[in-house]
Amino acid sequence: MTIQLPDSTGALRTYEPRTEPLALTPGAAFTSRTVFSAAHVVADPYADVTPDSPAAVDWDATLAFRRHLWSHGLGVAEAMDTAQRGMGLDWAGAAELIRRSAAEAKAVGGRIACGVGTDQITSGTLAEVRAAYEEQLALVEASGAQAILMASRALAAAATGPEDYLEVYGHLLRQASDPVVLHWLGPMFDPALEGYWGSSDLDAATDVFLEVIAAHPDRIDGIKVSLLDAQREIDLRRRLPDGVRCYTGDDFNYPELIAGDEQGFSHALLGIFDPLGPLAAEAVRVLDTGDTAGFRTLLDPTVELSRHLFRAPTRFYKTGVVFLAWLAGHQSHFTMVGGLQSARSLPHFARAYELADGLGLFPDPKLAEERMKNLLALYGVTQ
C-alpha cells in the first residue's frame, strides 16, 4: 500500500507507510534524569465555538493523554505553551486544566508541574502583574502541583528595566511554598516576550536571569530554557548554583543536551516529548544504564521531526503536536481550541506524517494512514 503526499512545491510523491510500529511499553520511573512532557489539550469537537471563544475542552480525552504519558514514566508539565496557553486557552480554562490534571496525577501517582503566569490580565502595572502571578501561584500550590514560573507578556510590557524583573521574581520566590522551576521562553515561541529580563541582548539578559537565581537558590528547583541555542544553554547550566537543575526546553538539540558532557547535563521539559513520549521514555531508560551511545541511537533520529514541527513560525508547533496525536489514535479528531488546526499547511502535515511514521511512532500505522488519507481528501488530493 502507498500514499500520495504533497511536497512543498505542490507536487505529489509516493510514500510507502511502514506496517509495524516500534514495540514500546510502559516502564519504571527514570533514575538518571527528571523528564517532563509539556502536554497538549484536546478540544471538544462538538462545541459551538469561534476562534475567539473561551476554550471548549474534551476533559476525558485530555486526561487520558496525561495518563498515557505517566504510564511511560514521564512527568507532565501542565498548562504550558504546548497546551495553547495564551493561544486559545485562557486563564479560566488553564485553571480548570490545572485542577483536573493535578487531581488525576494524585490519583495515579504521576508527577506534575503546572504553569504560573499572568494571562488573566493583558497589561497592567507591576503591582497588578505581581497580583496576577500570586493568584495563579496560590491555585497551583493548592492543587498540590509543583509551580513553574512562566514568562509573562504583561511583565514584558510593564517592565522598564532589569530591576523590575529582579523585584517581581524576588517577591514571588520569597512567597513560594516549595522550590519552583523558572521558565525562560524565547521570542521565537512568543514574540511578545522580546527583551525579557530587561534586554534584547541575550548575554545581558542571561546575567539578570542568573542574578535572580543567585539571590534565591534555595527557592529554585531548576530552570527551563527555551532559546533553541544549545551552546547558550550549556554555558548557562555551567553557571548555575549547586542544586539548581537545568531543564532543557530546546526542541532542536535535546539529545545532546540531555546526554550531557563531562561537566554536566540537562534534565528535560519538552513539548516534543508529547508526540515522542514512549520513544523518549525508552531512550532515557537506556541512558539510565549508562549507555549514552544507545540513548543517542534512539533519540537522534527524532530530531528531524522535531525541527520540522518547531520550524518558524515556531509558536505554531502545537498544530503539528495535536495532528500527530490524532494520527496516533489518542483523540478522535483533528480540532484545536482557537481553531489552530489551520495554522500549518498540507505539505507541512504530509511531511510530519512521513517522518513520524518512519520513526514508528504510530501504535496503529494503518489507522494513521487512513486518517492521513482522509485529511488529504478534504484538501482535494485523490489517491
Side-chain angles (χ1 to χ4, degrees), residues 322-344:
V322 176
F323 170 67
L324 293 182
W326 171 56
L327 293 185
H330 293 297
Q331 55 196 80
S332 62
H333 60 87
F334 179 35
T335 302
M336 298 176 68
V337 298
L340 204 66
Q341 67 271 12
S342 65
R344 292 295 199 186

Side-chain angles (χ1 to χ4, degrees), residues 43 70 72 76 85 88 93 99 120-121 142 172 228 230 243 265 316 324:
W70 284 319
H72 286 277
V76 169
R85 190 78 179 267
R99 293 187 192 99
Q120 68 271 55
I121 62 173
L172 294 168
L228 304 183
F265 56 83
F316 295 129
L324 293 182

Side-chain angles (χ1 to χ4, degrees), residues 188-248:
M188 68 288 294
F189 289 93
D190 186 344
L193 299 177
E194 179 66 42
Y196 213 74
W197 305 111
S199 177
S200 294
D201 181 322
L202 289 180
D203 290 336
T206 297
D207 288 341
V208 176
F209 187 47
L210 286 167
E211 188 174 347
V212 171
I213 298 164
H216 308 277
D218 59 328
R219 312 306 303 149
I220 300 171
D221 164 66
I223 62 167
K224 192 237 179 181
V225 187
S226 300
L227 298 175
L228 304 183
D229 184 332
Q231 189 57 52
R232 182 169 295 279
E233 179 176 321
I234 292 169
D235 293 342
L236 177 55
R237 79 184 182 204
R238 289 175 179 170
R239 298 172 65 185
L240 292 175
D242 290 343
V244 176
R245 310 180 197 198
C246 180
Y247 292 93
T248 187

Side-chain angles (χ1 to χ4, degrees), residues 26-331:
F30 312 131
T31 58
S32 64
R33 304 290 189 273
T34 299
V35 181
F36 290 95
S37 166
H40 74 280
V41 293
V42 182
D44 178 355
Y46 304 121
D48 186 11
V49 295
T50 62
D52 56 357
S53 298
V57 177
D58 180 337
W59 294 112
D60 289 342
T62 293
L63 294 175
F65 188 76
R66 280 134 184 82
R67 291 193 296 272
H68 156 71
L69 294 172
W70 284 319
S71 76
H72 286 277
L74 297 156
V76 169
E78 189 56 277
M80 301 289 290
D81 188 56
T82 305
Q84 294 181 244
R85 190 78 179 267
M87 288 186 68
L89 187 71
D90 60 11
W91 167 236
E96 184 67 12
L97 178 63
I98 289 166
R99 293 187 192 99
R100 289 175 180 259
S101 290
E104 195 74 15
K106 185 176 181 180
V108 304
R111 183 166 185 166
I112 188 169
C114 299
V116 171
T118 64
D119 46 331
Q120 68 271 55
I121 62 173
T122 56
S123 62
T125 64
L126 289 177
E128 290 168 331
V129 170
R130 282 196 305 271
Y133 264 129
E134 288 170 345
E135 177 189 356
Q136 297 199 15
L137 179 61
L139 185 144
V140 168
E141 290 186 338
S143 78
Q146 183 179 17
I148 302 171
L149 292 185
M150 301 192 301
S152 162
R153 294 173 180 173
L155 179 55
T160 59
E163 64 283 353
D164 290 335
Y165 290 90
L166 294 170
E167 191 279 326
V168 169
Y169 277 92
H171 177 83
L172 294 168
L173 290 168
R174 287 189 294 271
Q175 281 199 343
S177 299
D178 296 297
V180 307
V181 176
L182 289 184
H183 185 191
W184 184 358
L185 189 69
M188 68 288 294
F189 289 93
D190 186 344
L193 299 177
E194 179 66 42
Y196 213 74
W197 305 111
S199 177
S200 294
D201 181 322
L202 289 180
D203 290 336
T206 297
D207 288 341
V208 176
F209 187 47
L210 286 167
E211 188 174 347
V212 171
I213 298 164
H216 308 277
D218 59 328
R219 312 306 303 149
I220 300 171
D221 164 66
I223 62 167
K224 192 237 179 181
V225 187
S226 300
L227 298 175
L228 304 183
D229 184 332
Q231 189 57 52
R232 182 169 295 279
E233 179 176 321
I234 292 169
D235 293 342
L236 177 55
R237 79 184 182 204
R238 289 175 179 170
R239 298 172 65 185
L240 292 175
D242 290 343
V244 176
R245 310 180 197 198
C246 180
Y247 292 93
T248 187
D250 189 332
D251 300 278
F252 283 5
N253 304 291
Y254 50 94
E256 65 189 83
L257 291 165
I258 297 170
D261 55 30
E262 67 283 353
Q263 297 185 49
F265 56 83
S266 294
H267 300 271
L269 198 166
L270 287 161
I272 191 57
F273 281 5
D274 179 304
L276 292 183
L279 178 54
E282 181 70 17
V284 175
R285 289 192 186 91
V286 170
L287 186 61
D288 286 346
T289 69
D291 184 0
T292 302
F295 166 80
R296 295 295 298 268
T297 296
L298 282 171
L299 212 54
D300 281 2
T302 69
V303 171
E304 185 177 6
L305 171 63
S306 188
R307 288 179 175 241
H308 178 72
L309 296 183
F310 284 78
R311 78 180 191 188
T314 303
R315 64 189 181 278
F316 295 129
Y317 76 87
K318 298 95 160 169
T319 300
V321 165
V322 176
F323 170 67
L324 293 182
W326 171 56
L327 293 185
H330 293 297
Q331 55 196 80

